[in-house]
Amino acid sequence: MSELVTDLAAETEVIEQMLAGLPDDAWEQPTPAEGWLIRDQISHLAFFDEATITSVLEPERFTAEAKAHIEAGMDFPDRLAREYRALPIPELHAWFRRARIALITETGERDPKDRVPWYGPSMSLASAVTARIMETWAHGQDIADALGVLREPSVRLKHIAHIGVGARAYSFAIRELPVPEVPIRVELNAPDGSIWSWGPEDAAERVTGDALDFCLLVIQRRHRDETKLEVTGAAADAWLSIAQAFAGAAGPGRPAPVA
């Protein structure tokens, strides 16, 4: 857990660097996520950081609150974004910092195998914090794109890539599509020059390319045509057309670039 929260703190610092010195009115700037402003990305992170803390400390309360959100409609992240639009920027920023510090403090010393409830199946605490890393990087990408900032890729991308590979079946299930019973080999060029790999070495179906491209694709921040990923096989091709590393309703993806 200490390694995971260290990586979470590092991703948090990247967010803070982008927000440093940003005037309040710039927080109202639209991001590539349709209907979401920069402020919405931050309120989203703060809300679900606190939700994670509640799932750890008060699992029964979390389960009841999650049930209420889901029953009101799976678009509840969008509704929450609108709900917190009136929050003054200094209060919003303080909320994010407070929630993130609390999350790191509450989880860093716990057993990574502890089970916690979430908006779906329960998961290990290690998986919950890894998901927070993924969310921070994904929503940080929206902020970076809005501000025209290029972030240097790091080995922390392996967390996002691992979730993306593991969520292959979910990407089909959330769309009520059959999951292809075919093994897929994924080989990615990591920022440190190493190769990250998943799946059988002898699998006929393969996805290869840059880890950054793969991560941007599975969090649906880039269209597949904007990457240089190489795909072999029908099952792998079908997967990359709908790949989704995040929980919740099926994401619409990003539009294809204009030729």
Side-chain angles (χ1 to χ4, degrees):
M1 288 308 301
S2 62
E3 293 177 2
L4 285 173
V5 297
T6 295
D7 283 353
L8 179 59
E11 285 301 328
T12 306
E13 180 58 27
V14 175
I15 295 273
E16 290 290 3
Q17 288 175 1
M18 290 191 290
L19 297 177
L22 202 63
D24 288 3
D25 59 352
W27 287 58
E28 312 296 338
Q29 186 171 328
T31 69
E34 186 175 355
W36 282 47
L37 312 176
I38 288 177
R39 65 149 51 239
D40 300 329
Q41 309 290 347
I42 298 301
S43 65
H44 178 90
L45 291 174
F47 180 90
F48 286 100
D49 279 0
E50 288 192 341
T52 304
I53 297 168
T54 303
S55 76
V56 172
L57 302 181
E58 302 177 79
E60 291 184 359
R61 175 188 158 198
F62 170 84
T63 299
E65 292 178 351
K67 183 174 182 289
H69 284 306
I70 291 171
E71 288 180 346
M74 287 302 290
D75 64 338
F76 69 91
D78 296 309
R79 289 185 277 107
L80 288 169
R82 293 191 293 270
E83 179 180 334
Y84 291 106
R85 286 262 173 91
L87 200 62
I89 298 304
E91 292 182 29
L92 172 58
H93 199 173
W95 178 28
F96 170 60
R97 287 172 168 166
R98 184 172 62 250
R100 183 52 56 93
I101 290 171
L103 175 62
I104 290 171
T105 301
E106 289 293 346
T107 60
E109 300 295 328
R110 294 179 180 270
D111 187 337
K113 296 180 182 178
D114 285 350
R115 303 297 296 182
V116 294
W118 199 238
Y119 301 88
S122 65
M123 57 183 165
S124 69
L125 184 59
S127 293
V129 174
T130 303
R132 299 315 303 145
I133 296 172
M134 181 270 291
E135 283 263 306
T136 303
W137 188 79
H139 291 281
Q141 187 64 49
D142 291 326
I143 296 171
D145 287 341
L147 297 175
V149 173
L150 292 177
R151 298 184 299 172
E152 191 70 25
S154 78
V155 293
R156 296 187 298 274
L157 287 177
K158 192 171 186 178
H159 296 299
I160 293 89
H162 185 73
I163 293 176
V165 172
R168 177 164 71 101
Y170 177 79
S171 300
F172 287 90
I174 196 65
R175 293 165 175 81
E176 300 183 346
L177 297 171
V179 183
E181 298 291 334
V182 178
I184 297 175
R185 176 74 168 179
V186 178
E187 293 184 355
L188 302 175
N189 301 316
D192 63 358
S194 64
I195 302 293
W196 297 334
S197 61
W198 296 262
E201 289 187 25
D202 61 351
E205 305 229 357
R206 310 177 76 83
V207 175
T208 60
D210 189 75
L212 178 60
D213 275 353
F214 181 80
C215 291
L216 288 168
L217 177 67
V218 298
I219 63 167
Q220 296 190 355
R221 264 55 180 190
R222 293 292 184 272
H223 188 274
R224 181 174 163 181
D225 291 351
E226 296 177 274
T227 76
K228 296 180 180 179
L229 296 172
E230 296 184 6
V231 182
T232 303
D237 185 75
W239 171 36
L240 288 201
S241 69
I242 58 171
Q244 176 171 326
F246 50 90
R254 295 295 165 93
V258 178

mmCIF file of all heavy atoms in Angstrom, residues 163-181 184 239 242-244:
data_model
loop_
_atom_site.group_PDB
_atom_site.id
_atom_site.type_symbol
_atom_site.label_atom_id
_atom_site.label_comp_id
_atom_site.label_asym_id
_atom_site.label_seq_id
_atom_site.Cartn_x
_atom_site.Cartn_y
_atom_site.Cartn_z
ATOM 1 N N ILE A 163 -5.058 -2.018 -15.371
ATOM 2 C CA ILE A 163 -6.513 -1.956 -15.253
ATOM 3 C C ILE A 163 -7.150 -2.127 -16.628
ATOM 4 O O ILE A 163 -8.155 -2.827 -16.787
ATOM 5 C CB ILE A 163 -6.960 -0.627 -14.616
ATOM 6 C CG1 ILE A 163 -6.513 -0.567 -13.151
ATOM 7 C CG2 ILE A 163 -8.475 -0.467 -14.701
ATOM 8 C CD1 ILE A 163 -6.834 0.745 -12.465
ATOM 9 N N GLY A 164 -6.581 -1.460 -17.629
ATOM 10 C CA GLY A 164 -7.135 -1.553 -18.978
ATOM 11 C C GLY A 164 -7.174 -2.971 -19.502
ATOM 12 O O GLY A 164 -8.174 -3.407 -20.088
ATOM 13 N N VAL A 165 -6.091 -3.722 -19.287
ATOM 14 C CA VAL A 165 -6.055 -5.112 -19.721
ATOM 15 C C VAL A 165 -7.061 -5.941 -18.924
ATOM 16 O O VAL A 165 -7.816 -6.745 -19.484
ATOM 17 C CB VAL A 165 -4.635 -5.694 -19.561
ATOM 18 C CG1 VAL A 165 -4.643 -7.197 -19.828
ATOM 19 C CG2 VAL A 165 -3.663 -4.998 -20.502
ATOM 20 N N GLY A 166 -7.087 -5.723 -17.602
ATOM 21 C CA GLY A 166 -7.988 -6.492 -16.749
ATOM 22 C C GLY A 166 -9.452 -6.219 -17.002
ATOM 23 O O GLY A 166 -10.307 -7.063 -16.699
ATOM 24 N N ALA A 167 -9.758 -5.054 -17.560
ATOM 25 C CA ALA A 167 -11.153 -4.660 -17.793
ATOM 26 C C ALA A 167 -11.658 -5.071 -19.168
ATOM 27 O O ALA A 167 -12.738 -4.638 -19.580
ATOM 28 C CB ALA A 167 -11.313 -3.149 -17.622
ATOM 29 N N ARG A 168 -10.912 -5.915 -19.869
ATOM 30 C CA ARG A 168 -11.333 -6.311 -21.222
ATOM 31 C C ARG A 168 -12.737 -6.916 -21.215
ATOM 32 O O ARG A 168 -13.609 -6.508 -22.001
ATOM 33 C CB ARG A 168 -10.347 -7.298 -21.840
ATOM 34 C CG ARG A 168 -10.772 -7.801 -23.218
ATOM 35 C CD ARG A 168 -9.628 -8.441 -23.957
ATOM 36 N NE ARG A 168 -9.210 -9.711 -23.417
ATOM 37 C CZ ARG A 168 -9.547 -10.905 -23.936
ATOM 38 N NH1 ARG A 168 -10.324 -10.954 -25.012
ATOM 39 N NH2 ARG A 168 -9.091 -12.008 -23.408
ATOM 40 N N ALA A 169 -12.990 -7.886 -20.333
ATOM 41 C CA ALA A 169 -14.309 -8.526 -20.281
ATOM 42 C C ALA A 169 -15.386 -7.515 -19.910
ATOM 43 O O ALA A 169 -16.497 -7.534 -20.456
ATOM 44 C CB ALA A 169 -14.300 -9.683 -19.288
ATOM 45 N N TYR A 170 -15.047 -6.598 -18.993
ATOM 46 C CA TYR A 170 -16.017 -5.578 -18.576
ATOM 47 C C TYR A 170 -16.417 -4.685 -19.747
ATOM 48 O O TYR A 170 -17.591 -4.293 -19.872
ATOM 49 C CB TYR A 170 -15.421 -4.733 -17.452
ATOM 50 C CG TYR A 170 -16.314 -3.615 -16.991
ATOM 51 C CD1 TYR A 170 -17.374 -3.858 -16.125
ATOM 52 C CD2 TYR A 170 -16.113 -2.305 -17.426
ATOM 53 C CE1 TYR A 170 -18.204 -2.832 -15.705
ATOM 54 C CE2 TYR A 170 -16.930 -1.284 -17.014
ATOM 55 C CZ TYR A 170 -17.983 -1.548 -16.150
ATOM 56 O OH TYR A 170 -18.807 -0.524 -15.748
ATOM 57 N N SER A 171 -15.462 -4.370 -20.615
ATOM 58 C CA SER A 171 -15.754 -3.501 -21.756
ATOM 59 C C SER A 171 -16.857 -4.090 -22.632
ATOM 60 O O SER A 171 -17.676 -3.357 -23.189
ATOM 61 C CB SER A 171 -14.483 -3.285 -22.592
ATOM 62 O OG SER A 171 -13.466 -2.673 -21.831
ATOM 63 N N PHE A 172 -16.873 -5.411 -22.763
ATOM 64 C CA PHE A 172 -17.919 -6.084 -23.526
ATOM 65 C C PHE A 172 -19.205 -6.196 -22.712
ATOM 66 O O PHE A 172 -20.304 -5.931 -23.211
ATOM 67 C CB PHE A 172 -17.458 -7.479 -23.960
ATOM 68 C CG PHE A 172 -16.437 -7.471 -25.061
ATOM 69 C CD1 PHE A 172 -15.080 -7.432 -24.756
ATOM 70 C CD2 PHE A 172 -16.819 -7.500 -26.390
ATOM 71 C CE1 PHE A 172 -14.127 -7.425 -25.772
ATOM 72 C CE2 PHE A 172 -15.885 -7.492 -27.412
ATOM 73 C CZ PHE A 172 -14.530 -7.453 -27.100
ATOM 74 N N ALA A 173 -19.054 -6.591 -21.441
ATOM 75 C CA ALA A 173 -20.228 -6.838 -20.600
ATOM 76 C C ALA A 173 -21.067 -5.585 -20.408
ATOM 77 O O ALA A 173 -22.307 -5.655 -20.422
ATOM 78 C CB ALA A 173 -19.789 -7.391 -19.246
ATOM 79 N N ILE A 174 -20.426 -4.420 -20.242
ATOM 80 C CA ILE A 174 -21.179 -3.193 -19.993
ATOM 81 C C ILE A 174 -22.005 -2.803 -21.214
ATOM 82 O O ILE A 174 -22.996 -2.074 -21.112
ATOM 83 C CB ILE A 174 -20.222 -2.039 -19.591
ATOM 84 C CG1 ILE A 174 -20.987 -0.888 -18.949
ATOM 85 C CG2 ILE A 174 -19.414 -1.559 -20.777
ATOM 86 C CD1 ILE A 174 -21.642 -1.237 -17.641
ATOM 87 N N ARG A 175 -21.633 -3.332 -22.368
ATOM 88 C CA ARG A 175 -22.377 -3.083 -23.610
ATOM 89 C C ARG A 175 -23.267 -4.268 -23.999
ATOM 90 O O ARG A 175 -23.813 -4.297 -25.088
ATOM 91 C CB ARG A 175 -21.395 -2.758 -24.738
ATOM 92 C CG ARG A 175 -20.681 -1.438 -24.528
ATOM 93 C CD ARG A 175 -19.471 -1.297 -25.425
ATOM 94 N NE ARG A 175 -18.882 0.034 -25.292
ATOM 95 C CZ ARG A 175 -18.063 0.386 -24.305
ATOM 96 N NH1 ARG A 175 -17.726 -0.481 -23.379
ATOM 97 N NH2 ARG A 175 -17.577 1.623 -24.246
ATOM 98 N N GLU A 176 -23.357 -5.237 -23.076
ATOM 99 C CA GLU A 176 -24.167 -6.442 -23.276
ATOM 100 C C GLU A 176 -23.744 -7.191 -24.537
ATOM 101 O O GLU A 176 -24.570 -7.679 -25.315
ATOM 102 C CB GLU A 176 -25.663 -6.101 -23.310
ATOM 103 C CG GLU A 176 -26.144 -5.459 -22.010
ATOM 104 C CD GLU A 176 -27.636 -5.173 -22.005
ATOM 105 O OE1 GLU A 176 -28.257 -5.215 -23.082
ATOM 106 O OE2 GLU A 176 -28.181 -4.919 -20.911
ATOM 107 N N LEU A 177 -22.429 -7.269 -24.726
ATOM 108 C CA LEU A 177 -21.852 -7.994 -25.856
ATOM 109 C C LEU A 177 -21.137 -9.239 -25.330
ATOM 110 O O LEU A 177 -20.581 -9.228 -24.221
ATOM 111 C CB LEU A 177 -20.841 -7.116 -26.597
ATOM 112 C CG LEU A 177 -21.386 -5.843 -27.255
ATOM 113 C CD1 LEU A 177 -20.234 -4.978 -27.764
ATOM 114 C CD2 LEU A 177 -22.341 -6.186 -28.382
ATOM 115 N N PRO A 178 -21.137 -10.330 -26.103
ATOM 116 C CA PRO A 178 -20.417 -11.525 -25.670
ATOM 117 C C PRO A 178 -18.911 -11.270 -25.634
ATOM 118 O O PRO A 178 -18.372 -10.567 -26.492
ATOM 119 C CB PRO A 178 -20.781 -12.564 -26.731
ATOM 120 C CG PRO A 178 -21.158 -11.763 -27.941
ATOM 121 C CD PRO A 178 -21.807 -10.512 -27.420
ATOM 122 N N VAL A 179 -18.264 -11.826 -24.625
ATOM 123 C CA VAL A 179 -16.821 -11.659 -24.497
ATOM 124 C C VAL A 179 -16.120 -12.723 -25.340
ATOM 125 O O VAL A 179 -16.339 -13.920 -25.136
ATOM 126 C CB VAL A 179 -16.374 -11.803 -23.027
ATOM 127 C CG1 VAL A 179 -14.872 -11.560 -22.908
ATOM 128 C CG2 VAL A 179 -17.144 -10.839 -22.133
ATOM 129 N N PRO A 180 -15.300 -12.338 -26.301
ATOM 130 C CA PRO A 180 -14.589 -13.333 -27.120
ATOM 131 C C PRO A 180 -13.700 -14.229 -26.261
ATOM 132 O O PRO A 180 -12.913 -13.735 -25.451
ATOM 133 C CB PRO A 180 -13.748 -12.475 -28.072
ATOM 134 C CG PRO A 180 -14.446 -11.149 -28.119
ATOM 135 C CD PRO A 180 -15.008 -10.954 -26.745
ATOM 136 N N GLU A 181 -13.855 -15.527 -26.423
ATOM 137 C CA GLU A 181 -13.067 -16.492 -25.643
ATOM 138 C C GLU A 181 -11.733 -16.740 -26.336
ATOM 139 O O GLU A 181 -11.401 -17.873 -26.696
ATOM 140 C CB GLU A 181 -13.856 -17.792 -25.499
ATOM 141 C CG GLU A 181 -15.173 -17.644 -24.753
ATOM 142 C CD GLU A 181 -14.956 -17.352 -23.274
ATOM 143 O OE1 GLU A 181 -13.894 -17.735 -22.751
ATOM 144 O OE2 GLU A 181 -15.838 -16.735 -22.640
ATOM 145 N N ILE A 184 -5.391 -12.896 -25.596
ATOM 146 C CA ILE A 184 -4.766 -11.780 -26.303
ATOM 147 C C ILE A 184 -3.464 -11.419 -25.597
ATOM 148 O O ILE A 184 -3.423 -11.277 -24.375
ATOM 149 C CB ILE A 184 -5.702 -10.551 -26.347
ATOM 150 C CG1 ILE A 184 -6.979 -10.881 -27.133
ATOM 151 C CG2 ILE A 184 -4.983 -9.350 -26.981
ATOM 152 C CD1 ILE A 184 -8.006 -9.760 -27.131
ATOM 153 N N TRP A 239 -12.054 -5.546 -29.199
ATOM 154 C CA TRP A 239 -11.797 -5.008 -27.862
ATOM 155 C C TRP A 239 -11.361 -3.546 -27.924
ATOM 156 O O TRP A 239 -11.917 -2.694 -27.226
ATOM 157 C CB TRP A 239 -10.733 -5.865 -27.172
ATOM 158 C CG TRP A 239 -10.215 -5.312 -25.887
ATOM 159 C CD1 TRP A 239 -10.925 -4.615 -24.943
ATOM 160 C CD2 TRP A 239 -8.875 -5.388 -25.401
ATOM 161 N NE1 TRP A 239 -10.108 -4.269 -23.894
ATOM 162 C CE2 TRP A 239 -8.853 -4.731 -24.144
ATOM 163 C CE3 TRP A 239 -7.716 -5.974 -25.892
ATOM 164 C CZ2 TRP A 239 -7.675 -4.640 -23.387
ATOM 165 C CZ3 TRP A 239 -6.552 -5.888 -25.134
ATOM 166 C CH2 TRP A 239 -6.538 -5.224 -23.897
ATOM 167 N N ILE A 242 -13.872 -0.726 -28.175
ATOM 168 C CA ILE A 242 -14.766 -0.395 -27.053
ATOM 169 C C ILE A 242 -14.029 -0.384 -25.716
ATOM 170 O O ILE A 242 -14.666 -0.268 -24.660
ATOM 171 C CB ILE A 242 -15.931 -1.396 -26.959
ATOM 172 C CG1 ILE A 242 -15.404 -2.820 -26.785
ATOM 173 C CG2 ILE A 242 -16.844 -1.291 -28.184
ATOM 174 C CD1 ILE A 242 -16.482 -3.843 -26.476
ATOM 175 N N ALA A 243 -12.713 -0.488 -25.713
ATOM 176 C CA ALA A 243 -11.939 -0.625 -24.476
ATOM 177 C C ALA A 243 -12.308 0.470 -23.474
ATOM 178 O O ALA A 243 -12.401 1.642 -23.826
ATOM 179 C CB ALA A 243 -10.454 -0.586 -24.789
ATOM 180 N N GLN A 244 -12.483 0.046 -22.222
ATOM 181 C CA GLN A 244 -12.892 0.977 -21.165
ATOM 182 C C GLN A 244 -12.304 0.521 -19.839
ATOM 183 O O GLN A 244 -12.638 -0.547 -19.339
ATOM 184 C CB GLN A 244 -14.418 1.026 -21.075
ATOM 185 C CG GLN A 244 -14.951 1.888 -19.937
ATOM 186 C CD GLN A 244 -16.451 2.085 -20.013
ATOM 187 O OE1 GLN A 244 -17.020 2.165 -21.098
ATOM 188 N NE2 GLN A 244 -17.108 2.173 -18.869
#
